[in-house]
């Protein structure tokens, strides 16, 4: 779509994340309202480091194909571009290629030949070390100076793209863009900026619309339509029985952002200090006016993930009244007993190289904080046992050694033994390797495309 468009630019955002459930009727509504492009995020760090470290998607292949099929059918009928960011959940090269294969399957089934751009933003460990040596990498809180050992511990490292790589692909005629790791708002802001909408309005619209209908009042719907001009944008639900309100639209600046007025992105900051939110006469839409884009030296956030030790888990349910009367005390005594039992069975060289935790669900398993005195006893507890060790075999051995304690370990030693209920048989579940994020840094670049590789699929 190279022809000039008049403002506002209408962007159809079909869902908050590809694979979460695009709705055909909502897409049809957005098309009937004159959408110029379709754009959606496809990933996040919310579900943890495993998806970057392994290159696998959290979403099922079937779910992603279903959603992408709906979008590509819309493209086939209308010719409007389809823009996907953070492909395959984590946006690494493997994640992008996984999504590419699904897309190629779809276009073959539809009998169409779109021009497809693949944007890769994965970085090599050697390049990251070079940038670090040159003083181009700085940490974000709470991390400190980046060490080479930390870089080496990463299986995959990505740099978060801004709007520029998407705009470059659109300028070269891309019909479909599958982007690697990107900031969520950038995926949505790129097309309207390319077509002349205001940078402030486009970035703010991207932030509000990044999670689809989560900025609306009936958040069980999927998508929104963003109409973006020079200084303002309108946000409208794609579901006809839904509506937007000022509070819900304005509150989205707080989503994954500590400052409700400033959002830092590659190459600048979005300032919404003077923004106004107006509910329109159609009682469905909100108009947002006054966002300002303030250019800054260009940086890209780095995310790196890698595998560590191995885990085995057990889950048991407890209703014993003696345990429930003193959950915290039982936890501490039980944990001491489990450590003692594990050390009795392991070789001495392994005694200081493992970890056991028991998480008391229904008490304090989520935050781990001390429970105030006088807190009423729960009706029951779910106790999750986690053994972490340098190999899966050792984690399994620790779990097997501790297993008998989960049948009858008493809260009061001189009473008859209680019985606890295992959730599964066999009780132990090997989890495999533990994955974690190891980088929380930014890298300075002189060119927004410096760390991005663009490949074209020739159909």
């Amino acid at each position: 779509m190279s022809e000039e468009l008049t403002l506002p630019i209408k962007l159809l955002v079909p869902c908050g994340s590809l694979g979460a459930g695009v709705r055909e009727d909502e897409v049809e509504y957005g098309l009937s309202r004159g959408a110029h492009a379709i754009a959606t995020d496809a990933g996040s760090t919310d579900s943890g480091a495993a998806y970057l470290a392994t290159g696998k998607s959290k979403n099922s292949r079937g779910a992603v194909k279903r959603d992408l099929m709906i979008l590509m059918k819309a493209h086939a009928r209308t010719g409007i571009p389809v823009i996907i960011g953070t492909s395959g959940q984590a946006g690494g090269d493997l994640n992008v290629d996984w999504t590419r294969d699904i897309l190629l399957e779809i276009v073959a089934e539809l009998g169409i030949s779109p021009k497809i751009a693949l944007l890769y933003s994965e970085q090599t460990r050697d390049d990251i070390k070079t940038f670090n040596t040159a003083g181009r990498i700085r940490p974000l809180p709470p991390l400190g100076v980046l060490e080479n050992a930390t870089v080496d511990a990463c299986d995959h490292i990505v740099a978060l793209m801004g709007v520029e790589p998407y705009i470059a692909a659109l300028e070269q005629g891309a019909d479909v863009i599958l982007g690697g790791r990107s900031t969520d708002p950038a995926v949505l802001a790129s097309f309207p900026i390319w077509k002349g909408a205001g940078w402030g309005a486009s970035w703010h619209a991207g932030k509000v619309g990044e999670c689809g209908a989560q900025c609306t009042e009936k958040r069980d719907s999927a998508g929104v339509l963003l109409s973006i001009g020079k200084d303002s944008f309108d946000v409208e639900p794609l579901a006809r029985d839904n509506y937007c309100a000022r509070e819900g639209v304005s509150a989205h600046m707080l989503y994954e952002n500590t400052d409700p007025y400033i959002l830092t992105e590659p190459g600048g900051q979005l300032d919404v200090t003077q923004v106004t939110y107006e509910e329109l006469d159609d009682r469905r839409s909100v108009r947002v006016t006054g966002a300002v884009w303030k250019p800054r030296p260009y940086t890209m956030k780095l995310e790196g993930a890698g595998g560590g030790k191995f885990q085995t888990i057990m889950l048991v349910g407890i209703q014993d009244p003696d345990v429930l009367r003193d959950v915290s005390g039982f936890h501490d005594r039980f944990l001491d007993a489990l450590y003692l039992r594990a050390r009795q069975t392991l070789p001495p060289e392994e005694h200081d190289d493992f970890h056991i935790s028991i998480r008391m669900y229904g008490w304090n398993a989520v935050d781990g904080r001390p429970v105030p005195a006088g807190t009423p006893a729960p009706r029951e507890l779910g106790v999750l046992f986690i053994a972490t060790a340098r190999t899966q075999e050792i984690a399994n051995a620790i779990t097997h050694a501790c297993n008998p304690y989960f049948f009858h370990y008493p809260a009061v030693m001189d009473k008859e033994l209680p019985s606890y209920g295992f959730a599964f048989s066999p009780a132990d579940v090997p989890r495999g390797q533990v994955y974690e994020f190891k980088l929380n840094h930014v890298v300075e670049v002189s060119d927004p495309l410096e760390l991005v590789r663009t490949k074209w699929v020739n159909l």
Side-chain angles (χ1 to χ4, degrees):
M1 178 182 284
S2 59
E3 71 270 16
E4 292 302 314
L5 300 176
T6 57
L7 300 181
I9 302 302
K10 295 187 176 182
L11 188 71
L12 194 166
V13 185
C15 59
S17 181
L18 190 72
V22 172
R23 300 188 181 181
E24 292 186 72
D25 59 330
E26 293 190 5
V27 172
E28 289 303 315
Y29 177 77
L31 296 177
S32 73
R33 296 276 286 150
H36 299 122
I38 298 171
T40 183
D41 177 43
S44 171
T45 60
D46 291 352
S47 298
Y51 306 103
L52 177 58
T54 63
K56 296 179 180 178
S57 174
K58 177 182 73 172
N59 292 315
S60 73
R61 191 181 195 279
V64 171
K65 182 177 179 181
R66 175 201 171 275
D67 284 3
L68 193 52
M69 175 68 81
I70 294 172
L71 305 186
M72 290 309 298
K73 285 181 177 179
H75 164 76
R77 286 178 16 234
T78 64
I80 66 175
V82 175
I83 304 167
I84 309 295
T86 309
S87 298
Q89 184 64 36
D93 288 2
L94 292 174
N95 306 95
V96 175
D97 290 344
W98 180 81
T99 312
R100 174 205 61 198
D101 293 345
I102 296 173
L103 175 62
L104 294 180
E105 191 174 288
I106 290 171
V107 300
E109 292 175 10
L110 295 179
I112 59 176
S113 299
K115 188 174 183 180
I116 301 170
L118 308 175
L119 307 181
Y120 294 96
S121 64
E122 185 164 332
Q123 310 301 308
T124 69
R125 289 187 285 268
D126 286 344
D127 283 346
I128 294 300
K129 291 177 185 177
T130 299
F131 300 149
N132 197 32
T133 301
R136 293 172 56 183
I137 293 177
R138 64 176 186 268
L140 297 174
L143 297 187
V145 174
L146 181 60
E147 303 290 344
N148 284 344
T150 303
V151 178
D152 288 333
C154 295
D155 294 321
H156 297 282
I157 302 170
V158 290
L160 275 67
M161 290 184 277
V163 298
E164 291 83 1
Y166 289 92
I167 292 173
L170 290 165
E171 192 65 38
Q172 295 177 66
D175 297 310
V176 183
I177 301 175
L178 297 183
R181 185 68 172 115
S182 314
T183 76
D184 297 355
V187 181
L188 277 57
S190 58
F191 184 88
I193 288 175
W194 179 52
K195 286 301 181 183
W199 280 70
S202 298
W203 273 108
H204 196 187
K207 178 59 180 173
V208 169
E210 65 179 340
C211 293
Q214 290 301 301
C215 65
T216 70
E217 295 305 293
K218 295 183 179 180
R219 288 175 286 180
D220 56 349
S221 57
V224 293
L225 182 70
L226 302 171
S227 300
I228 308 160
K230 278 292 185 184
D231 302 307
S232 66
F233 68 93
D234 296 350
V235 54
E236 172 189 1
L238 292 175
R240 300 193 188 206
D241 63 346
N242 196 359
Y243 66 100
C244 288
R246 289 179 300 175
E247 292 82 1
V249 172
S250 63
H252 209 75
M253 274 295 293
L254 274 172
Y255 175 70
E256 297 182 335
N257 191 38
T258 56
D259 190 324
Y261 299 108
I262 301 294
L263 177 70
T264 300
E265 291 285 335
Q269 284 186 329
L270 174 68
D271 186 337
V272 302
T273 306
Q274 302 301 319
V275 163
T276 60
Y277 300 84
E278 174 191 1
E279 293 176 9
L280 301 182
D281 291 340
D282 64 5
R283 299 183 181 276
R284 282 173 39 83
S285 308
V286 168
R287 177 162 295 162
V288 183
T289 305
V292 176
W293 175 254
K294 297 180 177 180
R296 299 180 64 192
Y298 210 98
T299 60
M300 300 172 72
K301 185 174 182 288
L302 297 173
E303 292 171 354
K309 294 185 176 182
F310 294 78
Q311 287 185 339
T312 305
I313 64 174
M314 293 188 293
L315 179 63
V316 67
I318 296 180
Q319 290 186 328
D320 178 66
D322 290 329
V323 173
L324 301 181
R325 275 192 292 268
D326 183 23
V327 177
S328 296
F330 173 77
H331 168 277
D332 295 345
R333 295 189 298 273
F334 192 25
L335 186 60
D336 288 343
L338 294 174
Y339 264 107
L340 178 61
R341 173 60 178 161
R343 290 192 173 103
Q344 289 172 343
T345 62
L346 290 176
E349 62 269 20
E350 301 292 347
H351 282 191
D352 297 321
D353 197 24
F354 73 94
H355 181 265
I356 294 173
S357 68
I358 46 177
R359 304 182 187 179
M360 318 297 278
Y361 280 90
W363 190 245
N364 69 342
V366 175
D367 61 19
R369 293 185 297 181
V371 178
T375 300
R379 178 178 175 271
E380 63 182 18
L381 288 171
V383 180
L384 181 66
F385 167 93
I386 304 173
T388 306
R390 63 181 180 84
T391 69
Q392 189 66 66
E393 291 72 20
I394 296 174
N396 292 346
I398 294 169
T399 306
H400 295 159
C402 293
N403 176 287
Y405 285 51
F406 278 82
F407 281 105
H408 306 299
Y409 188 84
V412 180
M413 285 297 177
D414 58 355
K415 293 182 67 172
E416 65 276 9
L417 293 178
S419 292
Y420 308 139
F422 278 111
F424 315 108
S425 180
D428 55 295
V429 182
R431 277 199 63 233
Q433 200 166 23
V434 179
Y435 300 100
E436 60 184 15
F437 287 113
K438 299 177 182 294
L439 298 186
N440 189 38
H441 299 72
V442 293
V443 56
E444 299 171 357
V445 297
S446 57
D447 180 347
L449 305 183
E450 179 183 355
L451 305 186
V452 181
R453 292 165 287 118
T454 302
K455 295 183 180 179
W456 297 89
V457 178
N458 185 355
L459 297 175

